[in-house]
Structure formats: C-alpha cells, structure tokens
Amino acid sequence: MKNTLKKVFIVSALISSLVASDTSEYLVDTYSLVGLEGGYSSLDVERQTAGIAISATKQHNFGHGGFKIGAQGENYRLFLSGRYYNAKDFDYMTTMGAELQYMFNFSSFSNFFLGVNTGLANIRFVDDSSISRTISDTYVGADAGFNFHLAKSVDFEIGARVMNMQAENTISGVTYTFDNMLSGYASIIFKYKMD
C-alpha cells in the first residue's frame, strides 16, 4: 500500500509539473517546419581499372530539388529531407537524410547556422561498358548558411552543404568511387505552431 501511494504521488507530481510548465515564462517557442529547396551540386566520381595505376576522375554538375520537414526551437532545428538530383549522367540520384543545425541569432531579421547531416544516397547509372551499376550508401557531412525571416511564419534560407559518401561499386575489375558532393542551395521554409 505504501509503495502504491508513493507511485501515485510521483506520477501526480510529474503531471502537475508538466501542466505548470505550459504557462511558464521560460517556455521556448517551438515551430513545425515545412521547406522547399532548390540548388546546384557538384560530385566527383573516380574510375579505377584493376591492374592500371592511373585513375580517371570526372566531375558531374547538376541541379536538385528537395522537400524537408522539421522542428525548431530557439537555437536548434532538425530537418528530415528528401532530394532528387537532375544528373543527366545517371539514371537517377536521390538522397534521404536528416540535418541538425545550431542557429546563431545575431539579429531580429536573420540568423547564421552551422549543422551536420547524414543519410542515404541512391544512385543508378550505366557505365562506358554498358554495365548497369547501383549505389546505395550512407553519407555524412556539414552545412552552413543564413536564414532570413521574411515574415513571422516564412523564412528564406541560403546555404552550402558538403556530403561525404565514400561509396564504391566494383564490377569486372572496374571500380567507381563516389567522393564528396558540394551543394549550394536556397529554401523557402514555412513555420507553424501545432496545437
């Protein structure tokens, strides 16, 4: 009986503290986020043939579009994102991932952010020997940029992102290695509160 009363007291205290915290003057404004992104990217792909010391590196440049959803507090925001890359040398190229960013709020109309990102890259292409190759590998990276508050519920973001893949595909003694992808992008972000 004593243990039951103790548990009821602890649960009651937790619930009352949660209710009281909703009216606290220290409550931080949080927002749900929905964003549309467009940008331009550059990816280096190295081709190495077994037994040959010389490798060939080709730079691919292409545009991309993306969609992201997330949440934001006073100094942090988190996005879950999906992007499609319009790379003519590939049958398709997509990424799905997450970005965690810290925002430096230096003025009322803008802030600067630094962040880290991770996710999964999917690439399919046909090589010079007409062999179909598929890459599905993780990436890690970083991003930085500026966020401008156009209105209370709309932000405009410009930034740069680097994603390190280190993905390889070897068939018939020929290896393709996907290295760093650099992207410049701009986003419109809609902020709203969920009741």
Side-chain angles (χ1 to χ4, degrees):
M1 180 71 174
K2 189 176 181 181
N3 285 337
T4 304
L5 288 175
K6 188 176 180 181
K7 290 177 185 176
V8 169
F9 175 76
I10 291 172
V11 170
S12 298
L14 288 173
I15 291 173
S16 62
S17 66
L18 289 173
V19 171
S21 69
D22 193 33
T23 59
S24 171
E25 63 184 81
Y26 301 107
L27 185 65
V28 176
D29 280 340
T30 57
Y31 294 93
S32 295
L33 308 173
V34 174
L36 299 173
E37 178 183 307
Y40 192 74
S41 301
S42 175
L43 173 65
D44 289 335
V45 180
E46 180 181 298
R47 182 180 187 272
Q48 176 74 46
T49 303
I52 299 176
I54 299 173
S55 61
T57 301
K58 183 176 181 181
Q59 185 179 65
H60 300 270
N61 299 304
F62 40 81
H64 76 266
F67 179 76
K68 50 192 180 183
I69 60 172
Q72 173 181 324
E74 186 176 350
N75 294 104
Y76 291 94
R77 67 180 177 179
L78 173 70
F79 284 112
L80 300 177
S81 60
R83 296 180 184 89
Y84 176 79
Y85 299 85
N86 187 22
K88 64 180 181 178
D89 295 328
F90 306 137
D91 294 336
Y92 64 78
M93 180 175 177
T94 62
T95 58
M96 294 186 318
E99 296 92 38
L100 176 63
Q101 299 167 342
Y102 182 82
M103 297 179 294
F104 299 89
N105 298 305
F106 59 86
S107 77
S108 60
F109 63 88
S110 67
N111 57 38
F112 175 74
F113 65 87
L114 290 173
V116 293
N117 60 65
T118 186
L120 182 68
N122 296 294
I123 305 168
R124 184 180 182 279
F125 67 101
V126 176
D127 69 9
D128 299 336
S129 303
S130 300
I131 298 173
S132 179
R133 297 173 180 261
T134 302
I135 302 275
S136 184
D137 207 350
T138 57
Y139 66 84
V140 293
D143 44 33
F146 289 92
N147 197 41
F148 301 96
H149 312 306
L150 302 182
K152 187 175 180 179
S153 61
V154 181
D155 285 351
F156 177 71
E157 170 189 0
I158 56 171
R161 180 182 300 117
V162 61
M163 297 160 57
N164 182 273
M165 294 186 197
Q166 295 301 315
E168 288 187 356
N169 181 282
T170 302
I171 298 175
S172 301
V174 178
T175 301
Y176 284 83
T177 304
F178 291 75
D179 200 2
N180 293 325
M181 182 164 67
L182 301 173
S183 300
Y185 68 91
S187 298
I188 293 288
I189 300 170
F190 301 95
K191 304 187 295 188
Y192 60 94
K193 286 185 174 287
M194 293 193 65
D195 294 333

